[in-house]
Amino acid sequence: MMRNVFLFSLILLSSTLTSAQQRTKYEFKRNLPVYADSLIADLNYPLAWGHNDITDFDEWRRVARQKVFDSMLTPPPAPNKEGNYPYEILFEEQRDGYKARKIEVRLSRYYSVPAYVLIPDGKGPFPAVNVLHDHGAHLFIGKEKMIRPLACEDSTVVNDAVEWAANLYEGQFLGDYLASNGFVVFSADAPMWGERGQMEGPRRDRYDMIAGNMMMYGIDLAAYMTYDDIAGTEFLASMPEVDATRIGCAGCSMGAYRSWLLAALSDHVKAAAAVCWMVTTDEQMTFKYKRTENGGFANCLPGLRRWLDYPHIASIACPKAMLFINGSQDKLFPVAGIEKAFATMHATWQSQGADDRLETELWDIPHSCPIRAQQRVLDFLKRNLVENPQ
């Protein structure tokens, strides 16, 4: 009996410990190692364009791209030996000027992925856009952030999507906006979002734990998101309604990260627009600012930072047409890091005589994608996929 009382007392004591109880010696603070500045100083990015002996740009792109794939660990297995992506139409409705479909497409032998597809009325094939949803620490919806939910969805999903669009996109769904202007639009849930979430419910604090568990299988969760974005674009290119030579991608926040990374890794993508996600590591992973989170597992490809920084990876897309819009009021991305990244990318595009194909803009906006930014994205995609496709 006394032993049970003692054990209970220990459990009670441990449960009352608070974050106020600290050791006088420690090695981490504000979610970073205390030697973060030394780590940054040692990053020299030996595979960046111009940082090595590779002088042929196509060869550099091949080597750099392969290093990115190496850091993405084990890819999901293809859905079948035929190399196609079987899918099923779950629901369809007519909207003003285009059809909206909910589908389930098998992107891997492991899983099928819920997605929305919008197809303009009229005779195709049409230019197309893979529209990539954001993070927002909000995992209950994914594709529904980009395309207005179909009538088959629960009212909770519909209401949540409308509220999310109001907060981040000024009430406009980017996917529907592009479809109404003549683009086939595809948008799928990323792993952990929407209908690919956790049975116990969408909890942001579980994302990193699940990502860590996935690594025990030799799998990187952020890489699976990118592998799926590549496969989803291949599926999009296979659609009879799509002109496979005129495919772009676009997104805001994590969707922007997904967009420029997809452009770097997929030859199907001819133009990409990224709103509110570009920076350099030295400004993102430092104590100079007051942030406590710097991306975490959602954009972590193991070991890659020892070889390439974010703008170097985006530069693998050169000489494709690329649009970057960032906000000077965006608390997630320091302006100094944005400007350094823009300069790095421009140097790459200039080296290939293609600087007119890279558009970088710093707007007086917070972390968001307002209607005028969506208009800018539409104009960019029209110019590069409709008027002057290359």
Side-chain angles (χ1 to χ4, degrees), residues 302-330:
L304 185 54
R305 207 70 335 101
R306 290 285 159 176
W307 300 95
L308 297 158
D309 202 359
Y310 299 117
H312 304 139
I313 301 166
S315 293
I316 297 171
C318 178
K320 295 178 182 179
M322 302 281 282
L323 169 66
F324 291 84
I325 299 173
N326 275 75
S328 61
Q329 305 304 315
D330 189 338

Side-chain angles (χ1 to χ4, degrees), residues 128-180:
V129 185
N130 190 346
V131 180
L132 306 153
H133 70 72
D134 60 72
H135 186 307
H138 186 71
L139 282 64
F140 180 64
I141 54 175
K143 61 189 177 298
E144 301 89 357
K145 295 178 178 182
M146 295 286 92
I147 293 174
R148 183 180 293 277
L150 277 69
C152 59
E153 306 293 1
D154 183 88
S155 61
T156 306
V157 172
V158 176
N159 293 338
D160 192 58
V162 169
E163 182 178 357
W164 192 258
N167 289 334
L168 195 63
Y169 300 93
E170 283 193 340
Q172 180 168 270
F173 288 87
L174 177 59
D176 291 82
Y177 178 58
L178 295 176
S180 66

Side-chain angles (χ1 to χ4, degrees), residues 19 26 54 61 63 93 100 114 117 138 143 146 178 181 216 238 250 282 318 388:
S19 60
Y26 55 86
I54 302 175
R61 290 181 73 247
V63 172
E93 65 187 32
V117 179
H138 186 71
K143 61 189 177 298
M146 295 286 92
L178 295 176
N181 281 276
M216 300 301 288
S238 73
D282 63 338
C318 178
N388 301 296

Side-chain angles (χ1 to χ4, degrees), residues 32 36-37 40 280-287 291 294-295 310:
L32 294 174
D37 290 342
I40 290 171
T280 53
T281 297
D282 63 338
E283 297 292 336
Q284 185 72 355
M285 301 297 293
T286 177
F287 287 112
R291 294 184 312 279
N294 298 277
Y310 299 117

Side-chain angles (χ1 to χ4, degrees), residues 86-87 104-115 195-196:
Y87 73 100
E104 193 163 278
V105 55
R106 181 159 289 280
L107 297 184
S108 166
R109 177 164 52 82
Y110 291 156
Y111 48 79
S112 293
V113 175
E195 295 176 277
R196 302 182 71 187

Side-chain angles (χ1 to χ4, degrees), residues 5 14 19 36 58 75 94 121 208 225 229 241 368 376:
V5 172
S14 65
S19 60
D58 288 338
Q94 182 66 38
D121 296 341
D208 294 346
M225 175 173 67
D229 290 342
E241 300 90 349
S368 63
R376 181 72 178 85

Side-chain angles (χ1 to χ4, degrees), residues 13-63:
L13 177 63
S14 65
S15 68
T16 60
L17 294 178
T18 68
S19 60
Q21 293 175 295
Q22 298 174 329
R23 301 294 295 269
T24 56
K25 188 173 178 61
Y26 55 86
E27 197 164 324
F28 298 86
K29 65 178 182 179
R30 281 171 39 197
N31 297 336
L32 294 174
V34 295
Y35 47 87
D37 290 342
S38 296
L39 290 174
I40 290 171
D42 285 343
L43 295 176
N44 57 6
Y45 308 117
L47 262 188
W49 174 243
H51 290 204
N52 48 70
D53 294 334
I54 302 175
T55 57
D56 181 83
F57 191 74
D58 288 338
E59 174 64 9
W60 172 79
R61 290 181 73 247
R62 185 192 67 78
V63 172

